[in-house]
Amino acid sequence: MAKIKVLDEHIANQIAAGEVVERPASVVKELVENAIDAGATKVDVWTEEGGLSSIRVTDNGSGIDPEDCETAFYRHATSKISGGRDLFQITSLGFRGEALPSIASVSKVEVVTACGEDGAGRRLVIEGGTLKSNEDAPASRGTDFRVKELFYNTPARLKYMKTVQTELGHISDYMYRMALSHPEVAFTLRHNGNSLLQTLGGGDLLQVIAAVYGTTSAKAMIGLEGESLDFAVSGFVSLPDFTRSNRSAITTVVNGRYIRSHVLNQAIMRAYHTLLPVGRHPLVVLRLVMHPSLVDVNVHPAKLEVRFSKEAELVAFVEEKIRAALSHEVLIPKAVNQRIGKSNSIVQEQFHFPKREGLLGDLASGLPQDKDVPSAAASIDLDNAALTHKVQSVNANLEQLPKASVADQQNVAPAADKDNESSASSVPKQNSATVGGEKVPEALKASVSYPSADGKQDSRPQQVREPGHGLGYTGRPNHSGASNPRQAAQPAQNSAALARAAELYSRGEAPKRPAFPEMTLIGQHHGTYLIAQNDQGLYLIDQHAAHERINYEYYYEKFGQPEEASQELLLPITLEFTSAESTKIRDRLGWFEQAGVYMEPFGGQTFRVTAYPHWFPAGDESSIIEEMAEWVLSERAIDLAKLREKASTLCSCKASIKANQRLSDIQAQTLIERLGRCKQPYTCPHGRPIVVSFSSYDLEKLFKRVM
């Protein structure tokens, strides 16, 4: 006797509903997606009791033809695809034809729809998958879909529904994603008569972000866009100082469809590398566009996961565009939140901080002047002379810094600092320097000695954004000068020539990072924070984090060629591990060699370190190697990039100035200038901010000068 039989259509729909309709949010998702596929520009959603009691979705789309109303509730009935090849060219949100029959099988459904503006429409009533009514009814263009008593005929599934607030949270989250995915559609969400979401539908994504996350979040967003042969990306990412505790604020949209992608989330986090503290995540809205053949959306019942044909290329593209958008910003957080825009307040008195040129002039007046250099020297020459004097003074007073903060200044400082110190020892007589193997006039030194975000030389100053705001100011002054200081009398001509020459010496690379704000030291607070100022306001600098960033970039570069720096030890270092750890260490000795640390078994559970890079911070070699070993033991999979990153962070932290350590003014000013030459001077390797700013307006408000 045959044991296999075909299930009844009603039972099959109820089984399918278990995959398609997991909770009330699933119903909202399917109905809203159908509305968007129908070309709706306005979608309203009403829910009661978390959607379990009632869900109503109305739209102004194309509606359903009267002859198709009943057919639409048949299983696998769809107008989106007609053949197997169409599955590889899907441009709509829905395409399987399972949503409506699955919803109708576990609820009481009423649909009123019309295709024209004449008021003639159709009304269907279905209960538990059984058609109760199909008749003409007056209706405006679009569809009005009502779902009541969800899961009334499947009590087992109803029993596992969560609380009203939990189910409402899922509905709200989905509606937020749809609003961010389709800013051109006006969405409204109400629950028990209370409005939870309302967007205008004007196509402005930033307005939708403000409606979903608030205006404060919208002000902290950075726009990005880019295009390649296969992909196009647009959207917004948040400043590093505006973060969340989880990834729930990351929204990724592919061809208008909200998706969840682990690999794209990883690419986003890599783009924020060293910009975020541990456990913090950015607010991101990414809209990706690609040919439908490059993405397979038919791999998940809820269509929330997709498969990309060129995943590696897409991940690299997204990471590059986000990193580029961040590199164009001055990432100094504001210490005081203020409203953007002009105010009608009365300003009693303005702060006027002395300009850096005047301070340098005062400093240079006390320096011994070379007879060959006229008194009307260009401002750039004064800049170099002042910097030279400071560097020489620092070299003469290195012993004053704590041992852990200096180690060996020639080793701790980045390579760019070494070039500056060696070339500066003969300024102002010397009027040329070497950059990238090319002879560069001394007057260009300030333009070519500051690395950009990608390590290339940043040749031209940019208009940069004030931290956290849209107000523009010039970060680093555009000094004009030439090899002959007498030419400073023609600033406009020299400025143009300088720009052309600087562009030539910068190898044609456009600057990718705005200049770090020029600032002058005021003092030190509690031996921990440096206080500085410029025309824009006041800055607090964490001296440990600043020195840590300088050292991190230096060590990261050094760990790129560790084999060139390892030195044999007269007295090897011995380390002991447990039996299990010893076995794992033996298998991973090659990874230590990649970092320039050479270890060998020394009997039992002991290992002997025979060589390590000579630029390891003096006195901390053993602790660094021990921490490297702990990290290697804790990681399942290790690659050279991760090891290089971890080792650089360990060394930079050990070698940096600590809190509550006093610095002289010259040492502190030199630390600030070295920080400005870093590739990424805004956060330490652990993602903590280095600099916090108070604008002049902030200070005026604090002291009630602005009423």
Side-chain angles (χ1 to χ4, degrees):
M1 182 178 178
K3 296 182 179 180
I4 300 176
K5 58 183 178 181
V6 179
L7 289 175
D8 178 78
E9 183 72 16
H10 177 65
I11 298 177
N13 285 335
Q14 286 188 326
I15 294 174
E19 297 179 351
V20 179
V21 185
E22 298 179 5
R23 57 188 350 128
S26 304
V27 176
V28 175
K29 174 183 182 296
E30 299 295 345
L31 297 182
V32 171
E33 287 182 354
N34 284 345
I36 294 175
D37 285 341
T41 59
K42 187 176 186 299
V43 179
D44 298 323
V45 179
W46 289 269
T47 62
E48 294 180 6
E49 303 301 325
L52 293 172
S53 175
S54 173
I55 297 174
R56 181 183 180 187
V57 178
T58 65
D59 66 75
N60 61 351
S62 59
I64 306 175
D65 290 330
E67 58 270 22
D68 290 335
C69 286
E70 187 174 338
T71 307
F73 286 88
Y74 293 163
R75 197 174 180 202
H76 301 306
T78 178
S79 61
K80 315 296 175 56
I81 61 175
S82 58
R85 299 184 62 180
D86 293 339
L87 288 175
F88 302 100
Q89 303 286 334
I90 294 175
T91 57
S92 58
L93 298 179
F95 55 90
R96 294 181 182 142
E98 294 180 310
L100 294 185
S102 297
I103 294 171
S105 66
V106 292
S107 64
K108 299 178 180 179
V109 174
E110 179 182 347
V111 182
V112 178
T113 181
C115 295
E117 302 290 352
D118 54 1
R122 199 75 177 170
R123 177 177 177 270
L124 275 77
V125 177
I126 302 175
E127 294 184 4
T130 302
L131 180 64
K132 298 296 184 180
S133 174
N134 184 0
E135 58 188 8
D136 293 333
S140 58
R141 188 176 186 271
T143 303
D144 184 352
F145 212 115
R146 306 187 187 201
V147 178
K148 297 181 179 180
E149 300 182 37
L150 185 63
F151 300 135
Y152 80 101
N153 56 352
T154 53
R157 195 174 303 165
L158 182 63
K159 182 177 67 175
Y160 288 101
M161 289 295 102
K162 305 298 181 181
T163 64
V164 170
Q165 292 302 321
T166 299
E167 298 302 333
L168 177 61
H170 287 286
I171 294 174
S172 301
D173 181 71
Y174 171 74
M175 289 299 296
Y176 295 158
R177 311 290 184 179
M178 289 303 296
L180 295 169
S181 304
H182 297 274
E184 73 281 358
V185 178
F187 289 96
T188 300
L189 172 63
R190 292 182 176 88
H191 179 258
N192 292 346
N194 300 318
S195 178
L196 302 181
L197 173 67
Q198 187 166 0
T199 64
L200 301 178
D204 189 337
L205 180 57
L206 198 59
Q207 284 187 348
V208 179
I209 293 175
V212 173
Y213 296 110
T215 55
T216 302
S217 301
K219 292 176 183 178
M221 303 301 285
I222 305 170
L224 76 139
E225 60 180 19
E227 191 173 338
S228 68
L229 293 177
D230 297 311
F231 314 107
V233 63
S234 62
F236 291 88
V237 296
S238 66
L239 293 166
D241 60 307
F242 193 90
T243 59
R244 297 294 183 94
S245 60
N246 53 53
R247 294 187 177 91
S248 63
I250 297 179
T251 300
T252 308
V253 181
V254 176
N255 292 347
R257 181 190 307 276
Y258 163 66
I259 66 163
R260 299 171 185 164
S261 174
H262 179 66
V263 294
L264 289 179
N265 287 346
Q266 286 184 321
I268 292 170
M269 296 306 297
R270 284 196 300 270
Y272 277 87
H273 179 58
T274 75
L275 293 177
L276 299 177
V278 176
R280 304 301 297 181
H281 303 273
L283 194 158
V284 176
V285 180
L286 281 186
R287 304 179 69 194
L288 294 164
V289 178
M290 63 190 73
H291 194 273
S293 62
L294 296 178
V295 55
D296 184 3
V297 300
N298 193 30
V299 296
H300 189 272
K303 301 186 286 289
L304 289 175
E305 298 177 6
V306 299
R307 185 180 291 115
F308 299 107
S309 297
K310 296 185 176 182
E311 185 175 274
E313 292 87 343
L314 175 62
V315 167
F317 173 72
V318 169
E319 181 179 347
E320 174 191 357
K321 294 305 176 184
I322 296 178
R323 184 179 288 114
L326 293 170
S327 69
H328 283 81
E329 298 294 323
V330 176
L331 305 178
I332 299 179
K334 297 287 290 183
V336 178
N337 291 327
Q338 69 181 42
R339 183 183 59 186
I340 298 177
K342 296 183 178 180
S343 173
N344 295 326
S345 304
I346 299 175
V347 180
Q348 297 180 355
E349 182 180 352
Q350 296 290 336
F351 286 105
H352 296 286
F353 293 116
K355 291 185 177 296
R356 185 173 187 272
E357 290 77 359
L359 294 175
L360 290 174
D362 296 339
L363 178 62
S365 63
L367 296 176
Q369 297 292 328
D370 193 289
K371 294 181 180 180
D372 296 333
V373 181
S375 58
S379 59
I380 187 66
D381 295 323
L382 292 178
D383 194 351
N384 287 330
L387 181 59
T388 299
H389 178 67
K390 289 182 179 181
V391 172
Q392 291 173 341
S393 300
V394 171
N395 290 335
N397 295 279
L398 285 178
E399 292 77 12
Q400 298 179 12
L401 277 174
K403 181 178 180 181
S405 67
V406 177
D408 180 0
Q409 276 292 340
Q410 293 180 349
N411 295 334
V412 175
D417 294 343
K418 295 181 180 180
D419 296 338
N420 290 340
E421 292 174 8
S422 61
S423 61
S425 60
S426 58
V427 175
K429 290 183 180 180
Q430 182 177 348
N431 60 3
S432 65
T434 301
V435 176
E438 299 287 345
K439 288 292 184 180
V440 185
E442 185 67 25
L444 288 176
K445 190 174 178 183
S447 296
V448 299
S449 61
Y450 292 92
S452 62
D454 60 352
K456 298 294 189 300
Q457 301 303 324
D458 192 350
S459 62
R460 292 169 292 178
Q462 287 187 343
Q463 291 290 330
V464 297
R465 198 173 85 165
E466 183 179 353
H469 297 275
L471 307 177
Y473 71 95
T474 303
R476 184 175 296 277
N478 186 10
H479 300 292
S480 62
S483 58
N484 182 3
R486 298 183 186 275
Q487 295 178 0
Q490 295 85 21
Q493 178 179 356
N494 287 349
S495 178
L498 180 61
R500 290 194 297 270
E503 185 173 1
L504 172 65
Y505 284 111
S506 65
R507 308 172 190 172
E509 294 288 343
K512 292 189 177 182
R513 177 178 69 79
F516 188 74
E518 189 76 15
M519 57 186 71
T520 304
L521 179 73
I522 297 176
Q524 190 179 24
H525 175 68
H526 285 181
T528 302
Y529 303 101
L530 304 181
I531 307 173
Q533 68 177 2
N534 63 12
D535 290 342
Q536 305 302 319
L538 191 69
Y539 296 85
L540 295 181
I541 303 167
D542 186 332
Q543 65 185 31
H544 172 72
H547 202 193
E548 198 173 18
R549 165 55 65 176
I550 295 170
N551 291 336
Y552 169 78
E553 296 192 0
Y554 168 76
Y555 286 120
Y556 192 82
E557 179 182 352
K558 287 296 184 182
F559 272 111
Q561 54 271 354
E563 66 283 350
E564 301 175 3
S566 294
Q567 60 181 3
E568 295 288 336
L569 302 179
L570 291 176
L571 298 175
I573 300 173
T574 57
L575 302 174
E576 293 185 358
F577 302 94
T578 65
S579 299
E581 291 173 344
S582 300
T583 302
K584 189 177 291 187
I585 288 289
R586 287 189 182 93
D587 296 335
R588 299 188 174 187
L589 288 177
W591 292 109
F592 289 93
E593 295 178 6
Q594 295 282 356
V597 177
Y598 291 85
M599 297 173 56
E600 60 184 23
F602 195 53
Q605 301 167 200
T606 305
F607 287 81
R608 183 176 65 173
V609 179
T610 60
Y612 59 76
H614 65 79
W615 34 257
F616 268 19
D620 293 310
E621 299 90 342
S622 297
S623 61
I624 289 175
I625 296 173
E626 288 176 355
E627 291 189 41
M628 287 176 59
E630 292 177 2
W631 182 80
V632 168
L633 289 170
S634 64
E635 291 292 312
R636 292 184 177 180
I638 305 176
D639 57 42
L640 182 57
K642 285 185 178 180
L643 184 61
R644 182 182 179 189
E645 161 76 17
K646 184 64 177 179
S648 302
T649 304
L650 289 174
C651 289
S652 64
C653 189
K654 298 289 185 182
S656 296
I657 300 169
K658 302 302 186 290
N660 299 317
Q661 292 187 1
R662 296 288 177 179
L663 302 180
S664 68
D665 288 350
I666 294 178
Q667 292 167 349
Q669 183 67 44
T670 302
L671 183 68
I672 295 175
E673 291 173 353
R674 285 178 173 171
L675 175 65
R677 291 194 289 271
C678 289
K679 297 177 182 178
Q680 200 290 93
Y682 305 113
T683 58
C684 76
H686 307 98
R688 293 188 297 106
I690 295 175
V691 186
V692 174
S693 69
F694 293 82
S695 70
S696 299
Y697 180 75
D698 294 334
L699 297 175
E700 290 164 357
K701 286 192 66 178
L702 288 173
F703 287 98
K704 308 301 181 185
R705 289 177 176 265
V706 177
M707 305 302 293

